[in-house]
Each structure stands twice: as C-alpha cells, then as structure tokens.
Amino acid sequence: MFTIMNKTLTLTYRQIVILNGVLAGLTLDSEKSSARRRFNRIIDPHIDDYNAEVEQIKRKYSEKNKDGQTIAETSGAIVYTAENRKKCNADIQALEEAKVKIDVLESNLPDLSKISDMLKGRVKELEEKSKDGYESIVYDTVCEINGIVESLNIS
C-alpha cells in the first residue's frame, strides 16, 4: 500500500505572479525547463483565479454605459472615476496580499528544490548587475524572490 503525502505551500497572489514572471524569463536547460513546466501546472490555476478576480474588480469599479457595459478608451484602458480608481487599486492590492495554500505532492518536492535554486541564481544575477547599489525595483524584486524562496522551503 502506498501513502501519498501532500505538503502545503503558502504564497500570496503577488508572489505567485512574480514567481511566474521570473521563471518565464529564465533560459534553462532541459532538466530545469521540465521542472519549471511541472511547477507551472501547480501554480497556473492560481494565476487564472487571480486574473479572473482582477477582472471582476475592474468591472465592479469601471464606468458603465447606459447598457451597463464597461466603458473603455480607444486604447483599451478602462475608464474610472478618481474615487473608483482608488477603490479598485485598494481591492487589487488586498487581493495581491491574499494567501493561497497550494497542495504539493511529495513527488513534486524535487521540482520545488530546483525552482528554489533557479530563483537563488536569479537573485545572484540581479545582485551582480547592481554592484554599485540596488535600484529600488531591483531591490524589491530581490526581496520578493527571497520571500518566495523561503516559502518554497516547505516542511
């Protein structure tokens, strides 16, 4: 009889989105690329949930025409009142900070280890590019990645 043990990984939606973006931007050998692909299968449903929630929030606060449809500029940007834009941004920020629990099979733990190593390598690259000091966006990205790496060390 086999016992399948699940581990729980807890990340915020913000971390999931950043993690997805950082991993997508890496050029990897086939083994690491396979680990990334398997890991993406775990986080993709959460990215889809996040994107759907963001769209609902945007629709909730957008200006509507007489038919109740969202008004957009010719550029495609949604139109908001100043007050509704603030409310929309606050709701999206709250969503980004929401914690997401992700069940990970024990068989996926080696992939998490590889993902963690890839992220540590990316931090090292960013640090080397910023030897004279961090630009704020690089510093923020490094901090976010380090937070994700800590979260990947699940017990």
Side-chain angles (χ1 to χ4, degrees), residues 16-28 32 35-37 39-40 43 114-116 118-119 122 152:
I16 292 171
V17 170
I18 289 171
L19 177 59
N20 187 54
V22 169
L23 291 176
L26 298 178
T27 303
L28 304 170
K32 288 180 181 176
R36 174 178 56 191
R37 187 175 51 256
F39 185 71
N40 282 343
I43 65 170
K114 287 179 182 139
I115 296 296
S116 180
M118 287 182 237
L119 293 173
R122 182 65 180 135
L152 290 177

Side-chain angles (χ1 to χ4, degrees), residues 89-113:
N89 289 341
D91 282 4
I92 291 172
Q93 185 174 5
L95 175 64
E96 288 177 346
E97 297 307 317
K99 301 260 184 208
V100 179
K101 294 192 181 289
I102 303 170
D103 289 329
V104 179
L105 294 175
E106 195 165 333
S107 60
N108 294 119
L109 293 180
D111 288 340
L112 287 182
S113 178

Side-chain angles (χ1 to χ4, degrees), residues 26-60:
L26 298 178
T27 303
L28 304 170
D29 62 32
S30 63
E31 182 182 340
K32 288 180 181 176
S33 180
S34 294
R36 174 178 56 191
R37 187 175 51 256
R38 288 187 298 268
F39 185 71
N40 282 343
R41 286 188 204 128
I42 296 170
I43 65 170
D44 280 350
H46 301 286
I47 292 170
D48 293 343
D49 291 345
Y50 170 79
N51 289 334
E53 287 290 324
V54 167
E55 285 305 311
Q56 282 184 330
I57 292 168
K58 287 179 178 180
R59 280 195 302 272
K60 176 181 174 182

Side-chain angles (χ1 to χ4, degrees), residues 129-144:
K129 287 182 180 177
S130 304
K131 287 249 189 232
D132 298 330
Y134 289 112
E135 293 178 26
S136 64
I137 193 158
V138 172
Y139 179 76
D140 291 346
T141 302
V142 167
C143 289
E144 287 286 353

